[in-house]
Amino acid sequence: MKKVNVAVVGCGNISGIYLENLTKRFRNIEVYAISDLIEENTRTKSEQFGIQKIMTFQEIIKDPNVQIVLNLTTPPLHYELSKQALEAGKNVYVEKPLSLNYDEGKELVALAKGKGLLLGCAPDTFLGAGIQTCRHIIDGGVIGDIIGATAFMVCHGHESWHPGPEFYYKKGGGPMFDMGPYYLTALVNLVGPVTSVAGMTAISFPTRKITSQPKYGEEIQVEVPTHVNGLLRFRNGAIGNIITSFDVWDSVLPRIEIYGTRGSMLVPDPNGFGGEVKIRQYFDTEFKSCPLITEHSENSRGIGLSDLADALLSGRSDHRASGELALHVLEIMEKIHTSSDEHREIRLESTCERPEALPFTQ
């Protein structure tokens, strides 16, 4: 099998599962080099995964052997490093979000298109067996035409367990930008693109006290909304809502529900790849479980990058975790916040098509 050379930029926490899967599962990827500003990070990952080349970012984008740059840096660096890589002629796959704001994301998508390069972006959890099974059920008309959807991601934030939780309460953080990409990408994949949004946001706790180590007792000044409620008007006429919050102590809310003219569906956690799928058609008396009908029910981080590599090898441009999809999700998140600030419904500029479903495997 032909392989695509990928250079990984950023060897922090998320890089572990990427490197595990890229070196052992996805056979169309060759991890050519790794890079990180912290020497210990690169040394550890080099030894753990047998990657010989340790390079600087500038060396990576100048190396003609590098075909894809996998940008796993922190969100404030997503735009700048992805832009430099694209300008250097490299295809790019970047962790979510695509950028911290829509205008920068739009610039990246246009830059990639203008140079004939592929731009991909996490999350790729919607390619897991759980949500792909939901997609096939919807496409098969089992629950009829989709008329509505709800999504909930509520918890009490990161300061009780994360070693460095400050970012989640600063610009670029907050529950919508942190977890919204998983939920909104799943919804766009299942229901379709969104045409307009309306939102209400709040900061329920202006300060947060860290109770995790090593910063126990330090206080965080909250700069971004931590309770966000958005209404979504989909292109197909369906209406949805999404709540993301770092202000809720506990909840029994579902992750995602989809409502059709012939039944309802319970969608598994979009932050994972598997999970239980349940439907209740109009003639049923209760929800029933559905077998998963595609692969990748385990943690398959990197499947979106592998799909991009397949597109690169075959000369096609319709990879699934695309920059266009990520840009549309980014605008949805940004405009929900803007709607709250301006007290109005906002029509979106961007759109995208639903990514092609993965084939059946059973």
Side-chain angles (χ1 to χ4, degrees):
M1 174 181 284
K2 289 186 177 180
K3 294 190 175 186
V4 174
N5 283 340
V6 173
V8 179
V9 180
C11 294
N13 290 336
I14 193 65
S15 68
I17 187 60
Y18 270 101
L19 291 169
E20 176 78 17
N21 289 338
L22 297 181
T23 56
K24 298 178 181 178
R25 175 179 297 177
F26 299 117
R27 302 301 181 186
N28 60 350
I29 298 290
E30 183 72 37
V31 179
Y32 177 79
I34 55 175
S35 176
D36 196 278
L37 293 176
I38 301 174
E39 183 179 348
E40 181 181 352
N41 286 351
T42 50
R43 183 173 62 251
T44 299
K45 295 300 189 297
S46 173
E47 294 173 355
Q48 183 177 359
F49 298 103
I51 302 163
Q52 300 303 314
K53 289 183 181 293
I54 296 176
M55 307 170 70
T56 67
F57 175 71
Q58 292 301 320
E59 288 172 338
I60 283 173
I61 63 175
K62 291 176 182 177
D63 191 325
N65 294 308
V66 174
Q67 296 169 275
I68 302 175
V69 171
L70 173 57
N71 183 356
L72 302 182
T73 58
T74 57
L77 294 175
H78 286 183
Y79 163 73
E80 183 57 39
L81 295 189
S82 296
K83 180 180 178 181
Q84 289 185 43
L86 290 168
E87 288 176 335
K90 305 301 182 187
N91 302 285
V92 170
Y93 188 93
V94 58
E95 248 302 321
K96 57 85 183 170
L98 181 63
S99 183
L100 294 187
N101 64 71
Y102 174 66
D103 286 340
E104 290 179 348
K106 185 166 62 172
E107 183 183 347
L108 292 179
V109 170
L111 178 59
K113 184 177 181 180
K115 286 185 165 289
L117 298 167
L118 298 184
L119 172 63
C121 183
D124 55 6
T125 49
F126 75 96
L127 297 174
I131 292 176
Q132 284 296 305
T133 295
C134 295
R135 172 65 182 271
H136 282 287
I137 290 170
I138 289 173
D139 289 354
V142 175
I143 61 170
D145 297 328
I146 305 305
I147 62 170
T150 58
F152 304 98
M153 194 302 297
V154 297
C155 66
H156 203 72
H158 296 63
E159 63 270 23
S160 65
W161 61 271
H162 198 285
E166 301 94 327
F167 165 75
Y168 293 96
Y169 302 98
K170 306 299 181 183
K171 181 181 179 182
M176 181 59 78
F177 272 75
D178 177 39
M179 293 301 294
Y182 296 101
Y183 289 75
L184 290 168
T185 302
L187 287 173
V188 172
N189 172 63
L190 295 174
V191 184
V194 174
T195 58
S196 64
V197 302
M200 290 188 179
T201 68
I203 298 176
S204 305
F205 305 94
T207 62
R208 316 284 288 229
K209 183 167 288 188
I210 300 175
T211 56
S212 61
Q213 297 295 341
K215 299 181 178 181
Y216 182 90
E218 293 185 19
E219 195 170 82
I220 302 170
Q221 297 294 321
V222 178
E223 299 176 0
V224 293
T226 49
H227 190 86
V228 181
N229 194 334
L231 289 174
L232 314 170
R233 191 182 302 276
F234 291 91
R235 187 172 67 187
N236 69 349
I239 295 175
N241 67 285
I242 178 171
I243 297 176
T244 64
S245 181
F246 288 162
D247 298 343
V248 176
W249 286 107
D250 198 4
S251 169
V252 294
L253 291 168
R255 301 300 186 187
I256 296 177
E257 294 185 346
I258 305 291
Y259 312 120
T261 54
R262 295 175 58 84
S264 298
M265 175 187 291
L266 306 183
V267 180
D269 187 348
N271 192 26
F273 289 83
E276 186 176 27
V277 177
K278 289 186 174 184
I279 63 170
R280 178 175 175 178
Q281 293 173 278
Y282 69 94
F283 50 78
D284 290 327
T285 58
E286 60 184 13
F287 279 94
K288 58 186 178 183
S289 295
C290 301
L292 301 183
I293 58 176
T294 69
E295 295 179 307
H296 308 294
S297 60
E298 66 291 327
N299 192 332
S300 301
R301 196 82 64 183
I303 185 177
L305 173 61
S306 179
D307 186 58
L308 186 149
D310 273 342
L312 192 62
L313 289 168
S314 63
R316 61 184 177 86
S317 59
D318 58 340
H319 60 102
R320 293 171 174 85
S322 68
E324 289 79 7
L325 172 60
L327 179 65
H328 187 53
V329 167
L330 177 60
E331 187 183 15
I332 293 170
M333 297 190 298
E334 180 177 281
K335 294 307 193 302
I336 286 174
H337 288 80
T338 303
S339 169
S340 178
D341 294 339
E342 299 180 358
H343 305 285
R344 66 184 180 95
E345 181 178 352
I346 295 180
R347 187 164 187 84
L348 301 183
E349 175 184 276
S350 68
T351 191
C352 67
E353 297 305 317
R354 297 164 76 208
E356 183 180 353
L358 291 174
F360 287 87
T361 56
Q362 295 180 357

